[in-house]
């Protein structure tokens, strides 16, 4: 259990690590280039993993509704936008805003689809997140005078 | 290297809206995983995202921000993202389930991003996290955990 907890935390760390690396690439090239390289290298990695360990095409992979295959274009915009944000507002603010957006839009989707969930919990959860965003926004920007070199 | 512009409201709202895109991605990719495997649900968006990226780069030809080449490792962010899929799918099948995996993953993101700002990791600007940043993170994490475990968002 502790081992799986460590794995889950590491998963989150790697999400932020990836965003940091892509942000660095966008400083030299552009956010669109960063998203391109993220997808290309990720595609090679996932393909290699599938070839070595199998499991890429088991099940009924082509049976899903057509819209389910459109995550890629959204992902392209997502990686470009987050690479753009992290160089401007920093890693912590980018992470907290993306998480806030993910959660609040998640509630909206759940309510729209009629997914079961405790209404009080939803209200409290959204209120806490909005409060966190207000506080984050009120944070005086400390500037970025200590920009560091490439490596 | 150019100095990034100070944060503006548009940056702030843009990052928030970006989180909404993530909701859609998880929804779409999660649906794919219900038909194929988790690996397939990562492979398809990487493929279609790469195709769109090539089209966008060919048509928009975005200028390069710097004449200096980026360090070699800056091209490898995609590997980290691909490994994430493998780790989280293993964790989701443990007693942690989807909700525990997401909650702990958010914690991991917070820890790493605070450290990244504090020390300017991997060549991005250094910023000292403030007490208010910590409070904002704690509130958002608390709200997220409530939504994940009681509000049906998972």
């Amino acid at each position: 259990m502790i081992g799986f907890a460590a794995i889950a935390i590491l998963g989150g760390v790697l999400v932020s690590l990836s965003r940091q690396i892509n942000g660095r690439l966008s400083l030299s090239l552009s956010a669109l280039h960063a998203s391109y390289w993220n997808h290309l290298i990720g595609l090679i990695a996932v393909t290699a993993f599938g070839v070595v360990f199998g499991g890429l095409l088991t099940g009924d992979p082509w049976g899903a509704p057509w819209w389910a295959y459109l995550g890629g274009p959204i992902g392209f915009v997502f990686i470009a936008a987050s690479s753009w944000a992290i160089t401007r507002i920093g890693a912590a603010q980018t992470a907290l805003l993306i998480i806030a957006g993910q959660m609040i839009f998640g509630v909206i989707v759940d309510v729209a689809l009629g997914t079961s969930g405790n209404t009080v919990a939803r209200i409290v959860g959204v209120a806490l997140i909005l409060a966190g965003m207000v506080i984050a926004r009120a944070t005086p920007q400390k500037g970025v005078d200590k920009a560091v070199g490439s490596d | 290297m150019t100095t990034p512009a100070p944060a503006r409201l548009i940056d702030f709202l843009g990052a928030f809206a970006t989180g909404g895109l993530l909701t859609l991605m998880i929804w779409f990719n999660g649906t794919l995983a219900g038909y194929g495997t988790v690996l397939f649900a990562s492979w398809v968006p990487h493929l279609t995202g790469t195709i769109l990226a090539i089209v966008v780069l060919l048509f928009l030809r975005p200028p390069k921000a710097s004449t200096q080449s980026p360090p070699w490792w800056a091209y490898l962010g995609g590997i980290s993202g691909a490994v994430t899929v493998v780790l989280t799918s293993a964790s989701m099948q443990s007693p942690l389930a989807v909700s525990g995996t997401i909650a702990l993953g958010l914690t991991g993101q917070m820890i790493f991003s605070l450290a990244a700002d504090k020390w300017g990791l991997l060549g991005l600007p250094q910023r000292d996290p403030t007490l208010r940043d910590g409070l904002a993170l704690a509130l958002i994490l608390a709200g997220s955990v409530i939504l994940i475990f009681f509000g049906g968002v998972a």
Side-chain angles (χ1 to χ4, degrees), chain A residues 14 20 29 55 60 91-92 102 122, chain B residues 23 35 37 43 65 80 117 121 151:
Chain A
L14 289 182
Q20 194 83 1
L29 304 177
D60 181 24
Q102 176 190 349
R122 281 177 175 161
Chain B
T23 305
Y35 288 84
T37 56
W43 186 72
S80 181
D117 278 350
L121 298 182

Side-chain angles (χ1 to χ4, degrees), chain A residues 58-130:
Chain A
T58 41
D60 181 24
W62 306 110
W66 63 271
W67 51 264
Y69 297 89
L70 299 182
I74 301 171
F76 172 73
V77 177
F78 174 78
I79 299 291
S82 54
S83 302
W84 173 82
I86 198 169
T87 59
R88 281 167 177 74
I89 60 177
Q93 290 233 342
T94 301
L96 75 84
L97 286 168
I98 287 178
I99 291 166
Q102 176 190 349
M103 288 296 151
I104 289 178
F105 283 99
V107 171
I108 292 170
V109 167
D110 280 346
V111 170
L113 295 179
T115 310
S116 66
N118 185 313
T119 304
V120 175
R122 281 177 175 161
I123 292 169
V124 172
V126 169
L128 284 171
I129 290 171
L130 290 176

